[in-house]
Amino acid sequence: MKKINLEIKALSPLAIGRQKPGGNISEAETFIPGSVIRGAVAGQILKEANQQIEEGDDFHKLFLSENPALFQNAYPGNLKIDDIDIIKNDVRVLPTTVLSSKRKSGFKSQEAEETGNNGVFDTLIDRFCAENHSQIYHPNCPIEKTMYGERVDNFSSFYAEHNDEYYSPSAKTRLLTRVGINRRRATSEERVLYSIEVLNESKERKKQPAIYTSAILVPDDLVDSLHTFIDNHQHNFRLGGSSSRGLGKVKITAKKQSDIKSNVDNQINQFNQKLRIRWNEWGNIFGNASELPSSRIYFTIDLQADAILTENWRRTTVISETMLHQVTGVNDSSLQLYTAYSSYDYRSGWNAAWGLMKDVELVTNRGSVYLFSTENKDLWLKAWEDLEVYGIGDRTSEGFGQVQICNEFHNVFQEEAL
């Protein structure tokens, strides 16, 4: 598999529907799902081929084979630093264990209007250490000191790094109100108004185009042809709904192809080093100097996209030991799940090929965190690398189930808030 990085420039508002609610307002996502990009590319290929495709051709290999191309979600890529717009391709999702000050939340590098933000830190390791030392863990803001400590809350965001500082890119939305049309008279219908929530095509008041970054993981024998196709049709794609009303116009630029490089071993080592140091600090404070078993290696699975998880034919929000064995093909009796931080939501969509609504899926929200340990690191190295490439759960080719092993933010403690 090779990676094609994509840069998606919004040229008009994008109606990327989150779900179809019962009211008269269509909600929008804050990113472009991989399924939307996948559908746009597939639709353009079919249009060029006049709907004539044959089994075994490149289209089937890309979209219908056992090893299809994986279309990852496109997250906001604009960073505004010192009044300069910078585009980042490595935008990730913060773990749900990350907290920030309730009153001045955000990265310190993104200064607030007055005195600046109070920073962002992770609680996974500290909470694990506290619970296993029979202590209560109650985090508070490391900057603002009051009698009971400034309150903190979950900080859900995308993030990107630039010059050793962290920023949280975001997408802005607005409502477009439309008048219903009487199909018989072709005139406006009385008392029929509806609103579409859309992603803005520009950032702030300077009218700089909103940029989203994504990637497609493609089998080696198809990467050149797909790259060329996207490059030749970069102005022809439409993303989201209401394209007949002028929405969804984008320019998709296929960046240079690259091999998929893994840094899993280094991520695992850094996480375990931080965990053991922190464990000893908790033990010294509370008079319990016992050490973690030296034979066990700890690791986390962090969802970088919503995941559709199934176990025993039922939807679930927890990645269990049994599920991980089945997904990776690794048989390891020493594998142990300690804790899961996850929540759920519902997702639907539109299947353009069939002209029908997709089934409503129960999904595990992006940012969910699962802490495991094992005594057999060598058994899992290849499995961890494959998880970061192929993801976990159903419909991974549509952007669901993207995974990162040992997100770097788990190593950021309260007193080191970024």
Side-chain angles (χ1 to χ4, degrees):
M1 300 283 279
K2 286 191 175 181
K3 178 189 291 186
I4 301 176
N5 288 312
L6 300 181
E7 184 178 291
I8 302 174
K9 180 184 294 186
L11 303 178
S12 69
L14 306 180
I16 309 295
R18 172 181 170 85
Q19 59 186 21
K20 298 293 183 181
N24 61 346
I25 297 179
S26 177
E27 301 175 353
E29 289 281 13
T30 56
F31 63 97
I32 303 175
S35 58
V36 173
I37 303 171
R38 183 175 185 264
V41 173
Q44 189 63 34
I45 293 176
L46 292 175
K47 181 179 178 181
E48 292 291 317
N50 294 320
Q51 304 291 329
Q52 296 179 0
I53 56 175
E54 298 179 0
E55 186 174 355
D57 62 10
D58 286 354
F59 183 88
H60 276 82
K61 292 178 182 177
L62 280 171
F63 299 100
L64 303 174
S65 68
E66 294 183 359
N67 186 29
L70 307 178
F71 289 76
Q72 297 185 349
N73 295 340
Y75 295 140
N78 297 77
L79 293 184
K80 186 177 180 182
I81 304 173
D82 298 329
D83 293 327
I84 300 175
D85 259 10
I86 297 173
I87 307 302
K88 302 297 291 186
N89 290 316
D90 54 344
V91 179
R92 294 188 178 275
V93 177
L94 284 173
T96 193
T97 51
V98 164
L99 302 181
S100 186
S101 169
K102 195 173 181 67
R103 192 162 63 92
K104 296 179 182 178
S105 63
F107 293 106
K108 292 179 180 179
S109 52
Q110 289 190 238
E111 295 185 357
E113 294 180 0
E114 298 178 359
T115 59
N117 298 326
N118 287 334
V120 174
F121 63 95
D122 192 85
T123 60
L124 175 70
I125 290 179
D126 274 335
R127 193 177 297 277
F128 172 78
C129 293
E131 291 175 353
N132 284 276
H133 283 89
S134 302
Q135 300 296 324
I136 296 175
Y137 179 60
H138 181 71
N140 51 34
C141 178
I143 303 297
E144 300 191 20
K145 305 297 183 181
T146 63
M147 181 180 297
Y148 300 104
E150 176 69 18
R151 291 183 61 187
V152 291
D153 203 354
N154 292 97
F155 185 69
S156 300
S157 174
F158 305 113
Y159 77 93
E161 183 268 337
H162 182 73
N163 291 338
D164 296 327
E165 292 188 332
Y166 289 87
Y167 301 85
S168 52
S170 61
K172 303 295 183 181
T173 63
R174 72 178 189 268
L175 285 177
L176 300 179
T177 301
R178 295 289 186 261
V179 178
I181 301 299
N182 186 302
R183 296 185 181 276
R184 182 171 59 85
R185 299 196 303 269
T187 59
S188 59
E189 184 72 23
E190 290 188 22
R191 300 181 181 179
V192 177
L193 291 175
Y194 63 96
S195 294
I196 304 174
E197 188 178 32
V198 297
L199 295 173
N200 286 348
E201 69 276 26
S202 60
K203 301 290 289 184
E204 301 178 352
R205 297 181 180 179
K206 294 185 178 181
K207 299 301 179 183
Q208 297 163 330
I211 303 294
Y212 299 84
T213 59
S214 177
I216 309 175
L217 307 185
V218 192
D220 292 353
D221 59 328
L222 299 173
V223 65
D224 290 330
S225 58
L226 181 60
H227 188 282
T228 302
F229 181 85
I230 295 174
D231 206 36
N232 292 338
H233 298 84
Q234 53 186 279
H235 290 281
N236 298 337
F237 299 105
R238 296 293 181 270
L239 301 182
S242 301
S243 58
S244 62
R245 303 167 199 170
L247 305 185
K249 186 177 181 181
V250 296
K251 177 184 177 181
I252 300 182
T253 304
K255 299 295 185 179
K256 185 178 179 180
Q257 305 167 18
S258 61
D259 294 324
I260 301 173
K261 298 179 180 179
S262 174
N263 195 33
V264 167
D265 196 18
N266 185 47
Q267 294 162 198
I268 293 286
N269 291 336
Q270 288 185 4
F271 179 78
N272 279 268
Q273 182 180 5
K274 287 281 188 177
L275 174 59
R276 293 181 186 281
I277 292 174
R278 200 65 167 182
W279 176 273
N280 292 333
E281 290 176 355
W282 276 86
N284 293 333
I285 291 174
F286 294 101
N288 184 353
S290 63
E291 296 185 357
L292 288 173
S294 59
S295 60
R296 299 203 73 85
I297 296 296
Y298 298 82
F299 67 95
T300 68
I301 294 179
D302 301 270
L303 293 184
Q304 292 295 301
D306 297 334
I308 303 173
L309 304 176
T310 304
E311 187 171 22
N312 295 328
W313 305 98
R314 294 176 294 182
R315 290 285 184 254
T316 180
T317 61
V318 176
I319 300 175
S320 66
E321 296 99 330
T322 302
M323 185 190 302
L324 202 55
H325 286 149
Q326 292 174 347
V327 169
T328 61
V330 176
N331 186 14
D332 180 11
S333 59
S334 69
L335 183 67
Q336 182 177 352
L337 171 66
Y338 289 93
T339 187
Y341 298 90
S342 62
S343 58
Y344 70 91
D345 205 342
Y346 296 95
R347 290 290 184 275
S348 183
W350 182 260
N351 189 317
W354 289 95
L356 296 171
M357 288 286 295
K358 293 181 179 179
D359 292 337
V360 177
E361 300 277 10
L362 185 145
V363 300
T364 304
N365 288 331
R366 64 179 184 271
S368 297
V369 178
Y370 307 89
L371 176 62
F372 291 88
S373 79
T374 178
E375 294 181 352
N376 302 297
K377 179 182 177 180
D378 293 340
L379 278 179
W380 287 95
L381 279 175
K382 181 64 168 61
W384 289 330
E385 294 176 1
D386 289 343
L387 279 174
E388 288 200 332
V389 173
Y390 299 104
I392 192 169
D394 300 335
R395 293 169 59 183
T396 53
S397 62
E398 301 176 30
F400 290 98
Q402 293 171 227
V403 161
Q404 184 184 16
I405 304 299
C406 291
N407 184 281
E408 59 191 318
F409 262 89
H410 295 314
N411 304 330
V412 179
F413 299 130
Q414 183 172 332
E415 65 273 15
E416 304 166 350
L418 297 175

